[in-house]
């Protein structure tokens, strides 16, 4: 809702020096969201005056039509002589009154005006359009043509109200009353503690039997319908400048007098209205539900096929409008037309004004069904004051009579469904208990009365809610009104005191440690959405019976292309990698930690939890039983250079070994030493895929996979070549870790290093040899590292040589050479026994 400050001052006597920023602060304090304060006319400097076109000379020889004009600007130019101006617009003629900016003036955007030679003439100023003055489009598509009554030389800045401030307010769905100047003025009056001049307080004649005939067949959809008729309108009458400017400042485009008046009253009072050309309406105006398949051409020129749930306005011919949304083109106010033979201007001279109150849900569904959001539907959806319909109709009639010279017919039609005021019973101290502040009964009553409520009672208050606040339905709503008007900033700040000793769980600590470790290893966290489409599972090459294909489908997904919850983190990370690679970042190392969703098939239908009490333990347990398993995972993806080249030496590309090392980094944070073996598991390359295993309860359990992706997967997903990935189950790692990770003890005694090279069959995994060496070396072994792999004639066909560095250290003494050698020999003996290894050189 755009609120011009000059218009707001008509209803509330704001302090003279109060700026838009000051009003913004006051309204924000009462709970309204004022997004911006627009300064209209900022930097504008005159002279900017009314001018009368005296002569027009068409200049020839140019690509576009150019006119050389002389314009009477009175004494504004200091001489009284006609002003010579070059102009390219075509929508004015000799004798028209226009807006002229003279040399020395500055237009919005720091556009300085000076005399300059153009198209072979000297132009002393400019004839202005609405856009050039920051007014917006007035519908003419050219320069501003003023009514003839204004004298040349009149100050156009004041005439066109070019200097003003406009508050742009984001109105929430429950505050339909604030989609009007009346509602905003009421909030401003409360904020400043000033009286309100309510524009809806008008003398309205009572309904009678000779008004325009109306029949409401659906009183639930339309509980109030007011109709008034104005005749004898001057079809040539135009909206006055003040009316056009207020519409423009509020974000609406002037159209014609009758339409402008209904829009103006809607902005003023919040009641949507519609004006029908009486000559185009046949018989009784009715309100009913549409018949399925009925058609209507709306004012926007679109033909719409109606639904049986649509609430429509009809006459004897059929549908003439979508109730509360948009009128039909067949009863539209006619544009004035001049008869070429007689010169007589013809147009709409008789108007039927509709002011009705329609059901909010019905209007909302109709607007969404037809994808047709209008200013009227926005207000009906959020709640319109039903008691304002008669006043809005009267205000419209008064303006049409005043501005178009019409006559209001004595007939007044008002069809009303009986309804009583809504009352709420509330304890006087209820706001105190909600806010934790002692307001007192007097404050509660005073604030509710400011909102418009009638309040009776002492300890137990009976509150009658005003008709313009349909959102007030229970005691908590009333408490909120008291709290917001007393000031949210005045609520005490009380920090909760958690019980001592309840910090992060071990699961949470592991999650954080893993994130820090991966970030320290050069990976960048890339959180992704937990949704995916099942088509990506085909691109990953998963088998039909792969458990990752069992997904949880969402009833209302954000995207129809991604309706399922993820069963693996890899697709989301690969999508992030692909997007970044496509934007020029080719060296990437991304990671994510988060939940995946793995249904077991044993889930039971979920229960609907109550909202009026705390759920029981049984109800919470039943809800938990309906959830799929949600293991926490960590995953990485890599592509491009893992180490950059530079003066320090050559770089190297990321490969499958880096993905495996990422798994080891994660496992170390859980205090687990991974067992790495060759594996075949989609979407990894069958020859470059590792199974990551950990020992849980004495058994080796698969906790993840790592390696290089399959070429078919890389091609299907559009990924860079040799892209690698790793995914690991953090929950299983935590179980394998066995509790809090113990810091290593640092021995002060020297280390003894022993190297050993073993020849084994090429099919024997290096990890298996390393495990055997580790088991045989005993407690003195501090670390073991594979530093060389050799194949060739020297070791024989089908064989390979694995060289390991073994570091031995005792916590309480310096090892002797014999002790270190004995430990090495024991390690070799176990490796020979388990893997068939032969000590190289033996």
């Amino acid at each position: 809702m755009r609120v011009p400050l000059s218009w707001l001052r008509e209803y509330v006597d704001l302090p003279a020096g109060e700026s838009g920023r000051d009003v913004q602060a006051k309204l924000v304090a009462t709970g309204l969201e004022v997004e911006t304060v627009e300064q209209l006319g900022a930097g504008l400097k005159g002279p900017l005056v009314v001018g009368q076109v005296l002569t027009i000379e068409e200049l020839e020889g140019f690509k576009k039509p150019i006119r050389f004009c002389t314009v009477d600007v009175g004494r504004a130019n200091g001489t009284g002589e006609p002003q010579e101006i070059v102009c390219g617009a075509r929508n004015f003629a000799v004798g028209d009154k226009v807006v002229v900016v003279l040399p020395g003036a500055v237009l919005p955007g720091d556009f300085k005006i000076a005399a300059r030679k153009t198209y072979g003439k000297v132009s002393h100023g400019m004839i202005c359009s609405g856009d050039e003055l920051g007014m917006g489009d007035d519908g003419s598509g050219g320069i501003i043509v003023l009514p003839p009554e204004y004298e040349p030389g009149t100050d156009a800045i004041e005439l066109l109200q070019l200097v003003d401030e406009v508050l742009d307010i984001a109105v929430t769905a429950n505050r339909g009353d604030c989609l009007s100047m009346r509602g905003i003025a009421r909030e401003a009056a409360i904020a400043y503690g000033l009286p309100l001049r309510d524009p809806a307080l008008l003398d309205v004649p009572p309904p009678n039997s000779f008004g325009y005939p109306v029949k409401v067949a659906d009183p639930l959809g339309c509980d109030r319908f007011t109709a008034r008729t104005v005749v004898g309108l001057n079809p040539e009458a135009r909206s006055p400048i003040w009316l056009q400017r207020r519409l423009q400042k509020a974000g609406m485009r002037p159209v014609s007098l009758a339409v402008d008046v209904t829009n103006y009253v809607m902005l003023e009072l919040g009641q949507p209205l519609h004006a029908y050309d009486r000559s185009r309406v046949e018989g009784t105006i009715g309100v009913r539900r549409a018949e399925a398949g009925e058609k209507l051409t709306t004012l926007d020129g679109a033909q719409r096929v109606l639904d049986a749930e649509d609430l429509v306005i009809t006459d004897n011919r059929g549908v003439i409008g979508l109730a509360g949304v948009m009128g039909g083109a067949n009863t539209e106010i006619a544009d004035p037309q001049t008869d070429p033979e007689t010169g007589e201007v013809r147009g709409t001279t008789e108007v039927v004004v509709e002011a009705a109150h329609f059901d909010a849900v019905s209007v909302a569904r109709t607007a969404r069904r037809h994808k047709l959001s209008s200013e009227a539907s926005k207000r009906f959806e959020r709640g319109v004051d039903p008691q304002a319909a008669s006043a809005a109709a009267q205000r419209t009639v008064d303006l049409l009579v005043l501005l178009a010279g019409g006559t209001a017919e004595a007939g007044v039609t008002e069809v009303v469904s009986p309804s009583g005021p809504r009352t709420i019973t509330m304890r006087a101290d209820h706001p105190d208990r909600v806010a934790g502040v002692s307001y007192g009964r007097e404050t509660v009553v005073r604030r509710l009365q400011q909102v418009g409520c009638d309040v009776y009672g002492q300890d137990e208050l009976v509150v009658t809610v005003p008709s313009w606040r349909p959102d007030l339905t229970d005691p908590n709503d009333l408490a909120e009104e008291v709290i917001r008007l007393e000031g949210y900033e005045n609520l005490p700040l009380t920090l909760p005191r958690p019980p001592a000793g309840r910090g992060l769980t071990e699961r949470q600590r592991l999650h954080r440690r893993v994130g820090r470790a991966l970030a320290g290893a050069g990976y960048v966290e890339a959180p992704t959405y937990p949704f995916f489409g099942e088509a990506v599972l085909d691109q990953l090459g998963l088998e039909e019976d792969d458990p990752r294909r069992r997904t949880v489908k969402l009833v209302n997904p954000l995207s129809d292309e991604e309706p399922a919850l993820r069963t693996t983190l890899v697709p989301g990370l690969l999508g992030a990698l692909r997007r970044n690679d496509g934007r020029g970042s080719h060296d990437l190392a991304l990671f994510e930690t988060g939940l995946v969703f793995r249904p077991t098939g044993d889930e039971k239908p979920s229960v609907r939890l109550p909202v009026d009490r705390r759920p029981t333990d049984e109800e919470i347990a039943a809800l938990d039983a309906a959830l799929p398993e949600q293991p926490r995972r960590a995953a990485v993806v890599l592509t491009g250079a893992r180490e950059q080249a530079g003066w320090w030496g050559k770089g190297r590309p990321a490969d499958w070994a880096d993905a495996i090392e990422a798994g080891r980094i994660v496992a170390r944070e859980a205090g687990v030493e991974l067992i790495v073996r060759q594996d075949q598991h989609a979407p990894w390359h069958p020859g470059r895929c590792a199974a990551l295993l950990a020992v849980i309860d004495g058994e080796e359990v698969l906790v993840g996979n790592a390696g290089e992706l399959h070429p078919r997967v890389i091609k299907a997903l559009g990924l860079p070549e040799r892209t690698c990935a790793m995914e690991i189950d953090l929950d299983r790692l935590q179980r394998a870790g066995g509790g809090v990770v113990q810091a290593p003890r640092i021995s002060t005694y020297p280390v003894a290093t022993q190297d050993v090279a073993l020849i084994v069959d090429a099919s024997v995994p290096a990890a298996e040899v390393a495990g055997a060496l580790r088991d045989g070396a005993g407690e003195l072994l501090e670390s073991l590292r594979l530093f060389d792999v050799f194949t060739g004639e020297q070791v024989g066909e089908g064989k390979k040589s694995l060289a390991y560095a073994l570091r031995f250290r005792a916590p309480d003494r310096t090892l002797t050479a014999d002790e270190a050698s004995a430990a090495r020999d024991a390690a070799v003996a176990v490796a020979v026994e388990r893997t068939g290894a032969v000590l190289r050189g033996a």
Side-chain angles (χ1 to χ4, degrees):
M1 176 70 187
R2 289 173 57 85
V3 179
L5 193 59
S6 59
W7 194 356
L8 184 62
R9 290 182 183 275
E10 282 200 3
Y11 313 116
V12 183
D13 291 326
L14 300 175
E18 205 77 351
S19 68
R21 294 291 182 189
D22 298 329
V23 177
Q24 177 189 28
K26 288 283 189 179
L27 292 179
V28 168
T30 63
L32 292 183
E33 185 180 349
V34 184
E35 293 188 324
T36 60
V37 178
E38 184 179 349
Q39 305 286 334
L40 299 184
L44 178 64
K45 177 184 174 184
L48 186 72
V49 298
V50 176
Q52 183 173 17
V53 180
L54 301 178
T55 65
I56 297 177
E57 176 188 351
E58 301 287 346
L59 301 182
E60 305 292 339
F62 299 102
K63 292 182 179 180
K64 61 179 181 178
I66 299 296
R67 311 167 98 186
F68 181 66
C69 311
T70 59
V71 185
D72 178 13
V73 294
R75 301 291 301 177
N77 58 4
T79 65
E81 297 295 323
Q83 200 80 359
E84 297 179 339
I85 299 175
V86 175
C87 183
R90 312 290 297 175
N91 66 316
F92 65 96
V94 173
D96 282 347
K97 300 290 180 65
V98 295
V99 178
V100 179
V101 58
L102 301 177
V106 180
L107 295 183
D110 198 27
F111 181 26
K112 298 178 181 179
I113 303 300
R116 64 188 182 94
K117 187 172 182 180
T118 180
Y119 297 103
K121 301 285 186 179
V122 177
S123 182
H124 298 274
M126 188 170 71
I127 301 174
C128 296
S129 69
D131 284 337
E132 291 163 337
L133 298 179
M135 297 169 55
D137 182 19
D138 62 356
S140 66
I143 60 97
I144 302 169
V145 178
L146 299 171
E149 61 264 23
Y150 298 106
E151 292 296 323
T154 302
D155 183 6
I157 295 179
E158 183 177 351
L159 175 66
L160 298 177
Q161 305 171 21
L162 296 178
V163 180
D164 202 351
E165 294 181 274
V166 178
L167 285 69
D168 193 351
I169 301 176
V171 179
T172 54
N174 66 319
R175 292 302 303 273
D177 61 305
C178 288
L179 285 174
S180 67
M181 293 301 303
R182 180 193 184 201
I184 299 298
R186 183 179 293 108
E187 292 295 314
I190 295 173
Y192 280 93
L194 296 171
L196 168 70
R197 288 187 290 274
D198 191 343
L201 295 180
L202 301 175
D203 291 330
V204 179
N208 50 54
S209 59
F210 43 94
Y212 197 93
V214 172
K215 180 181 179 181
V216 177
D218 189 339
L220 295 179
C222 175
D223 57 9
R224 182 180 294 266
F225 196 109
T226 300
R228 300 289 298 277
T229 306
V230 182
V231 298
L233 299 175
N234 178 7
E236 294 185 88
R238 296 175 53 189
S239 300
I241 290 176
W242 65 266
L243 178 57
Q244 294 187 44
R245 288 297 294 134
R246 286 190 172 177
L247 290 176
Q248 288 174 330
K249 291 176 186 178
M252 303 187 75
R253 184 172 64 87
V255 178
S256 64
L257 178 59
V259 175
D260 292 349
V261 166
T262 57
N263 286 336
Y264 177 84
V265 175
M266 177 184 68
L267 291 172
E268 184 178 50
L269 301 181
Q271 168 66 53
L273 301 109
H274 190 71
Y276 301 94
D277 186 329
R278 184 176 180 179
S279 65
R280 297 184 175 189
V281 179
E282 294 186 7
T284 301
I285 292 178
V287 183
R288 61 169 172 83
R289 298 288 171 175
E291 296 177 6
E294 280 188 294
K295 295 181 180 180
L296 169 69
T297 301
T298 46
L299 289 173
D300 59 356
Q303 187 180 67
R304 305 183 184 277
V305 179
L306 305 183
D307 187 270
E309 292 297 318
D310 292 335
L311 192 67
V312 295
I313 311 297
T314 64
D315 65 2
N316 290 348
R317 296 168 300 173
V319 180
I320 60 174
L322 279 174
V325 181
M326 186 174 287
N330 52 353
T331 56
E332 183 180 8
I333 301 295
D335 293 329
Q337 303 266 340
T338 303
D339 191 314
E341 297 181 0
T342 64
E344 179 185 1
V345 178
R346 298 175 181 173
T348 298
T349 59
E350 297 183 355
V351 167
V352 178
V353 177
E354 166 209 303
H357 184 261
F358 300 111
D359 175 60
V361 174
S362 177
V363 171
R365 288 176 176 171
T366 297
R368 284 157 180 73
R369 190 179 297 119
H370 295 282
K371 297 180 174 61
L372 183 62
S373 179
S374 65
E375 292 293 334
S377 67
K378 290 177 185 176
R379 286 165 172 80
F380 280 121
E381 290 173 16
R382 288 163 173 78
V384 170
D385 181 5
Q387 302 294 334
S390 300
Q394 182 63 45
R395 177 69 164 145
T396 304
V397 168
D398 292 343
L399 287 173
L400 288 174
V401 170
L402 175 66
L403 302 177
T407 302
E409 288 193 343
V412 177
T413 302
E414 192 164 309
V415 180
V416 181
S417 297
S419 63
R422 185 171 63 258
T423 61
I424 302 172
T425 301
M426 179 185 74
R427 287 173 55 93
D429 63 349
H430 182 68
D432 301 8
R433 292 186 291 118
V434 170
V437 177
S438 180
Y439 292 121
R441 179 188 178 280
E442 291 74 16
T443 299
V444 171
V445 171
R446 174 171 57 86
R447 288 304 190 183
L448 292 179
Q449 288 175 339
Q450 286 179 328
V451 173
C453 299
D454 292 329
V455 186
Y456 304 95
Q458 292 297 319
D459 295 338
E460 195 83 14
L461 301 180
V462 179
V463 182
T464 302
V465 176
S467 57
W468 56 82
R469 291 298 302 273
D471 59 306
L472 303 181
T473 59
D474 59 54
N476 285 334
D477 294 330
L478 300 179
E480 182 184 6
E481 293 299 298
V482 175
I483 295 168
R484 76 176 180 89
L485 295 180
E486 283 295 303
Y488 291 119
E489 69 278 6
N490 295 323
L491 293 177
L493 183 63
T494 304
L495 293 177
R497 295 183 178 179
R502 291 191 181 180
L504 297 176
T505 65
E506 182 56 33
R507 188 172 190 244
Q508 292 169 329
R509 291 193 186 97
L510 175 60
H511 186 201
R512 295 192 181 189
R513 289 201 307 270
V514 166
R516 287 194 294 266
L518 289 174
Y523 291 86
V524 176
E525 187 170 14
T528 63
Y529 287 115
F531 315 114
F532 68 8
E534 295 187 349
V536 75
L537 301 179
D538 296 329
Q539 295 171 322
L540 293 177
L542 304 189
E543 299 291 340
E544 291 298 324
D545 59 348
D546 194 300
R548 288 171 289 179
R549 283 190 176 273
R550 291 204 302 268
T551 61
V552 177
K553 300 287 184 61
L554 299 176
V555 176
N556 54 343
L558 295 179
S559 170
D560 291 338
E561 296 179 356
E562 296 181 332
L565 291 174
R566 66 190 179 191
T567 57
T568 168
L569 299 180
V570 172
L573 275 178
L574 291 178
L577 182 141
R578 181 177 59 248
R579 286 190 296 274
N580 282 276
D581 181 73
R583 288 166 172 77
S585 298
H586 303 304
D587 302 324
L588 296 165
L590 308 179
F591 84 92
E592 180 178 9
T593 57
L595 300 177
V596 297
F597 305 87
R598 305 294 288 271
T600 62
D602 297 329
E603 292 83 8
K604 299 178 181 178
S606 62
V607 296
R608 186 180 296 274
L609 296 181
V611 296
D612 58 341
R613 58 175 174 82
R614 184 189 183 280
T616 64
D617 293 341
E618 292 76 14
E619 289 171 331
I620 296 175
L623 183 63
D624 289 338
L627 298 177
E629 289 185 358
Q630 300 177 50
R632 188 175 298 274
R633 299 286 182 86
V636 304
V637 292
L638 306 96
T639 190
R642 185 65 178 132
E643 295 178 3
Q644 297 289 341
W647 58 265
W648 52 85
K650 294 181 179 180
R652 69 172 183 84
D655 60 17
W656 57 268
D658 293 299
I660 295 174
E661 181 58 27
R664 289 195 172 104
I665 291 172
V666 173
R668 279 195 290 269
E669 294 302 318
V672 176
E673 190 69 30
L674 286 181
I675 302 169
V676 180
R677 290 201 178 96
Q678 187 176 2
D679 195 9
Q680 293 188 18
H681 189 69
W684 283 274
H685 190 297
R688 301 190 182 101
C689 174
L692 308 179
L693 302 106
V695 177
I696 302 176
D697 297 331
E699 295 184 5
E700 292 184 0
V701 176
L702 180 70
V703 295
N705 288 91
E708 182 182 312
L709 296 181
H710 198 291
R712 283 198 297 267
V713 174
I714 290 175
K715 182 178 180 181
L717 294 175
L719 301 172
E721 292 183 359
R722 302 286 187 176
T723 296
C724 300
M726 181 278 299
E727 184 173 20
I728 197 165
D729 191 314
L730 295 182
D731 293 336
R732 291 183 179 179
L733 281 180
Q734 184 180 352
R735 293 202 304 273
V740 178
V741 177
Q742 297 294 326
R745 295 185 62 185
I746 307 299
S747 174
T748 59
Y749 294 96
V751 65
T753 302
Q754 296 278 342
D755 293 345
V756 60
L758 300 174
I759 299 174
V760 296
D761 290 339
S763 61
V764 176
E768 187 175 336
V769 177
L773 290 171
R774 186 176 288 107
D775 292 343
E779 295 181 353
L780 294 178
L781 181 67
E782 182 178 82
S783 67
L784 179 147
R785 179 175 61 88
L786 174 69
F787 67 87
D788 183 55
V789 178
F790 176 75
T791 57
E793 294 180 0
Q794 294 89 333
V795 297
E797 185 177 355
K799 301 289 185 177
K800 62 183 177 182
S801 172
L802 304 176
Y804 295 89
L806 289 76
R807 290 167 56 93
F808 298 98
R809 195 193 314 253
D812 56 351
R813 69 187 188 281
T814 299
L815 291 177
T816 65
D818 290 342
E819 287 177 311
S821 297
R824 183 202 64 179
D825 293 343
V828 171
V830 173
V832 170
E833 180 183 351
R834 289 187 186 177
T835 66
V838 175
L839 187 65
R840 188 174 177 183

